[in-house]
Amino acid sequence: MITEPMKPPEFSSRDSLKKLWWLHDSFWHASLVRELGPAEANRLNLEVSEKLFRMMTVSLLREKVIRRPRSIQDLMGVFRTVWKNAFFDELYVDEPIRYRGKTATWIGTRCHAYDSLRKAGMLEGYDCGCRALRNGVMKALRLEPLHEIRESLVRGDGRCVIDVTYKPARPF
């Protein structure tokens, strides 16, 4: 007699899997710092992070979860969707955003990467990966990656203040 296999149980929440992924990322970065030094670890971390978020954004476009933005407001909506799919605990999703023309200013007060690095005593020499994440998203959307980190938790400012500007990239 042949029986159907039972479906294996899964985590009760996608957040559990996301937490484990970010924990893996933390361990991976710490291993790179130990083996290659902070400069090379940062270079590799930023390179891989940009590629990952570019691929994630392309996948969200293909699955029609997001669409190409036509304004800064649309772009910030895309970022919220990407963050919702990448991070846990609603990180970055509900943070305040101010708009001025084609620029948005996002203010964040929590960051899981910052918290992990601080607890591990690894903030010194760490190059924040947020720029690479935004680069990946904006490049996938065919936008020029125009953004500036004015304040940063990693630099000890007590919060992150980031200006993002909407500007379509020039056609090839």
Side-chain angles (χ1 to χ4, degrees):
M1 171 183 194
I2 298 175
T3 60
E4 292 292 317
M6 289 179 48
K7 186 176 178 181
E10 298 179 47
F11 284 112
S12 61
S13 142
R14 285 187 55 187
D15 269 3
S16 297
L17 188 57
K18 290 177 188 178
K19 285 177 187 177
L20 288 171
W21 170 250
W22 287 105
L23 185 59
H24 164 271
D25 182 63
S26 297
F27 290 147
W28 178 252
H29 188 265
S31 295
L32 286 175
V33 169
R34 189 173 53 254
E35 294 294 322
L36 304 173
E40 188 66 5
N42 284 325
R43 185 188 69 74
L44 291 170
N45 185 51
L46 297 177
E47 179 182 318
V48 170
S49 294
E50 182 176 319
K51 286 180 183 178
L52 175 67
F53 275 78
R54 194 171 188 168
M55 288 177 65
M56 180 186 296
T57 303
V58 167
S59 294
L60 290 168
L61 282 167
R62 278 194 200 123
E63 294 180 22
K64 299 187 184 324
V65 175
I66 60 172
R67 61 181 161 84
R68 293 193 194 286
R70 300 168 116 176
S71 67
I72 187 63
Q73 290 82 359
D74 289 350
L75 174 59
M76 298 313 286
V78 167
F79 276 125
R80 282 185 162 137
T81 300
V82 171
W83 301 159
K84 173 77 173 167
N85 283 277
F87 301 107
F88 56 95
D89 295 341
E90 299 294 320
L91 188 67
Y92 307 137
V93 173
D94 298 316
E95 301 288 354
I97 300 171
R98 290 190 310 254
Y99 296 96
R100 286 181 321 278
K102 293 185 177 191
T103 298
T105 301
W106 174 87
I107 300 170
T109 56
R110 321 178 340 207
C111 175
H112 296 313
Y114 167 76
D115 290 342
S116 295
L117 289 159
R118 184 180 48 77
K119 287 177 188 171
M122 294 185 65
L123 279 174
E124 188 175 333
Y126 177 74
D127 194 359
C128 178
C130 288
R131 178 175 303 282
L133 307 185
R134 284 189 304 279
N135 282 348
V137 171
M138 294 174 87
K139 287 177 181 179
L141 296 170
R142 296 187 186 129
L143 299 174
E144 289 197 30
L146 299 174
H147 46 100
E148 176 189 0
I149 300 171
R150 289 194 288 131
E151 295 179 39
S152 170
L153 287 165
V154 171
R155 293 190 313 236
D157 294 321
R159 66 183 188 167
C160 294
V161 177
I162 299 162
D163 291 331
V164 177
T165 301
Y166 174 83
K167 183 178 179 190
R170 295 182 187 172
F172 298 103

